[in-house]
Amino acid sequence: MRLFKSSLKSIAGVVLGLSLGMVVCYFAGESPWKVLKVLFQSSFGSGYDFGMTLFYTAPLMLTGLAVSLPFRAGLFNIGGEGQLMMGALAAASAGVLWKDPHSPVVAILFATGLAFLAGGIWGAIPGVLKAKRGSHEVITTIMMNFIAAGITSYVTLYVIKDPNSAQAESIPLPEIFHLKPFAIFNGAPMGYLIFVLIAVVLIVHYWLWNSVRGYELKVVGENELAAETYGISKQKSWIFSMFLAGGFAGLVGVVEILGNAHRFKLGFSADYGFVGIAVALLARGNILGIIPSALLFGILQKGAGSLDLETEKVTRDLTYIIQGLIILGVAAEGLYERKVKPRVDKKAAKNV
Amino acid sequence: MFESFILPVFRVSAPLILAALGGMWCERSGIVQIGLEGFMLVGSFFGAVVTLSTLNPYTGFLIAGLSGMLLAVLYGVVVLRYRADQIVAGTAINLFAMGVPPFFSKIWYDSTGSTPPIPTAAQFQVAPLWITLGVIISSIIIFHYSRFGLRLRFSGEHPEALQSAGVSVRLKRWQGILIAGFLAGLAGGTLSTYLSSSFIRNMSAGRGFIALAAVILGKWRPIPTVLACLLFGVTEIAQIRLQGVTLWGSEPVPVQWIQILPYLITIIVLAGAVGRSNAPKALGNS
C-alpha cells in the first residue's frame, strides 16, 4: 500500500511537471501535442532510436543508484558528475596502462574495475570527510565535482592527449576494449550491457533488503540514534555507501568509453550526474523504481535532440525546464496531502 | 597596486559577494540555499535582455535582481508552502534555470542561449562595484545592529523562541529567500552587463556554488563571507595572470591546477576544525 501510494505520488509529479512543460510550450507558440509526438517518436520510432534511448537510460540508472544508495544512509550525493568523470577517465586510461590484455573479457573487466575504483574513491572522500570531520557532504561533493572537472581536463590535455587529434580528447582505446552493440539497434551504441546494468540494479535491491550491511545502512539512514544504540557504526555505513555510489557513477565510464566514444572527450556527459538526482528522487529511494525512472529521463534526453530539428520554437533545453518541474512536482510533499480542516473557532484560535 | 591588483580582484569578486551575501541571509533564516546558481543564471540573462532593449543598464540591473527574486518565489512556494526538501528543490531550481535562457533566446533572438552584444554606450562603467560596496556595508549593519537582522538570525537558530515572541518564522524565511533571489540575481546582472557585454550560455559557470562555499567558509557571517569571496577572487585573477607563465621548469603552469584551488581550499577548511558546527542550528528543518 505504501509502495502504491508513493508511486502514485511519483506519477502525479511526472504528470504535473510534463503538463507545466507543455503549457510553457504552448506559450512559446509551439503545439504541445507536436512536442509530445516528437519526444515519443524520436525515442521509440526505430531500432536506432530505441537503442539511443537505452544508451541515455543506462548512465542514468547508474547515477540514479549513486544518489539513491547514500540517500538510504541519510546522505545526499550531489557528486555523481565528478564521480562519473573520474570513472570515465580511468576507463579511458585503461588502454594506456595495459596495451595488450590478450582477451577482450580481461580487457573489459580490467577497465570496468578501474572505472569502479576511481569513481568509488572519488565518492568515498566526501564520505570519509563526513564521517571523520563532520563536513557536510552536499558542499564537499559539489566541490569534488569541480576538482574532478579540473583533473580530467588536465589529464586529457596533457597526460593522455591524442597527438593525432586537434580536439580535446584522449588516446583512443585499442579494439580489444570495445563493447559490441546489438545489430538491431542499427549503430546505436548499446548491447548486452543494458541487461548487465538492469541486473546490477536488481542485485543492489536484493543486497539492500537481504544483507546485514544493507540493513545497517538503512537503519543509519532512518534513525541515527537507534543505529548507535544497537552498535551500528554510522561512519562505516556512510563511507561504504558513498564508495559504492561513486563506483556505480564511475561505471558510466564503461557505458560511454568502452561502449561509445572509445576515448575520453571533454564535456561528454549530458549532466548525467545531476539528472541522476531527478531519477533517484522520482524513484523515491526505491532501488527498483530507478529502472522506469531512468527510462523516463532517458526518453526526455533522447527526445530533446529531435526538438532542435523538428520544432521551430523550442530547443533541447526545454528538457531542463521539464526535469526541474518534475523534481519540484515530486518533491512538493504538501501537494498530495488532503487538508483536514481543524474544527476550531477561528477567532478563538487566534487569541490563544 | 590599486589599479593593478585590488580593483581587478574586487571586480571579479563582486558577483560572488552579492550572491554570497544573499545566500548568507537565506541560510541564516534557516533555509538551505543551493539555488543561488540558478538565480544568478536567470538574473544574468534577463539583465542583459532588458539592458539591450532599454539601453539603460540600471533598468537591466534591477530586472536582473527581480528575475532572480521571481525564481526565488517559486523556490519559496515549493519549500515553505509545500514542504519540499530544500536541497532537492534547490537542485531542481538549478536544472530549471539552465533551461530558461535558451528557451527565451530562441524565441527572441533565434539563438541557442546567448544574447547579442550590448552596445558600448549602454554598458556600465563602475556602478555595480559601488552597489556591491553598498550591499556589503548595509548587510553588515543590518545583520549586526538591526531588529530585522536579529529576528532573521533567530529564525535560523531558535525558531520556537521567535514564534513565541509573536514573530512569524515563516515571514522571516520568506524574506531570507527573497533577499537571496534578489542579490543572486544582481550578481548575475553584474556578470552580463558589467564584467562582459552580453549573456553567454551557462554564464554563471558554478559561481553560485562558489558563493555558497564562501558563506560556509565565512561561517555564515557577513565580513568573513566577503573576505572568503575576495580570496576566491584572488585565485580567479591568478588564474588569468598565470596563463602561459613559466614558474618552474620549462612547462607553463597548467590553468587547471589554479582552477581547482578555490574548491580545494573550501574542502580543506571544511574538513579542518574551523569549519565545524557553526551552521545555524535550525538550518534545513522546516
Side-chain angles (χ1 to χ4, degrees), chain B residues 126-146:
Chain B
V126 284
L129 295 188
W130 289 112
I131 295 170
T132 306
L133 207 60
V135 170
I136 295 174
I137 294 169
S138 50
S139 276
I140 294 171
I141 294 173
I142 296 172
F143 186 87
H144 288 293
Y145 306 108
S146 80

Side-chain angles (χ1 to χ4, degrees), chain A residues 31 47 131 166 183 197 214 237 261 274 278 320 329 342:
Chain A
S31 146
L197 292 181
S237 286
F274 296 108
Y320 287 121

Side-chain angles (χ1 to χ4, degrees), chain A residues 252-275:
Chain A
V252 172
V254 177
V255 181
E256 170 65 25
I257 309 294
L258 304 190
N260 179 39
H262 308 310
R263 52 167 84 196
F264 191 94
K265 290 181 182 172
L266 280 186
F268 74 86
S269 167
D271 287 316
Y272 291 128
F274 296 108
V275 182

Side-chain angles (χ1 to χ4, degrees), chain B residues 62-111:
Chain B
L62 181 68
I63 294 296
L66 291 178
S67 56
M69 200 154 124
L70 191 66
L71 192 57
V73 170
L74 176 64
Y75 177 79
V77 167
V78 175
V79 161
L80 291 179
R81 175 89 175 74
Y82 294 115
R83 297 192 314 282
D85 183 281
Q86 293 161 16
I87 295 171
V88 170
T91 314
I93 288 288
N94 288 337
L95 268 175
F96 180 82
M98 276 164 80
V100 171
F103 181 78
F104 287 105
S105 75
K106 175 77 180 168
I107 298 173
W108 291 335
Y109 309 110
D110 198 21
S111 82

Side-chain angles (χ1 to χ4, degrees), chain A residues 24 28 76 133 135 138-139 144 146-147 150 153-154 157 271 281 312-313 315 317 320-321 331-334 337, chain B residues 34 81-84 87-88 92 95-96 98-99 102-103 106 201 216 254 256-257 263-264 267 270-271 273 276:
Chain A
V24 168
F76 202 71
R133 310 294 313 176
S135 328
V138 167
I139 300 298
M144 294 294 281
F146 288 109
I147 297 176
S153 150
Y154 175 78
L157 291 175
D271 287 316
L281 190 72
E312 308 257 311
K313 297 275 167 45
T315 60
D317 302 290
Y320 287 121
I321 294 184
E333 292 283 338
E337 286 154 18
Chain B
I34 300 265
R81 175 89 175 74
Y82 294 115
R83 297 192 314 282
I87 295 171
V88 170
L95 268 175
F96 180 82
M98 276 164 80
F103 181 78
K106 175 77 180 168
R201 217 181 141 81
I216 291 159
Q256 286 85 357
W257 296 133
Y263 312 110
L264 215 55
I267 288 190
L270 261 184
R276 298 179 72 193

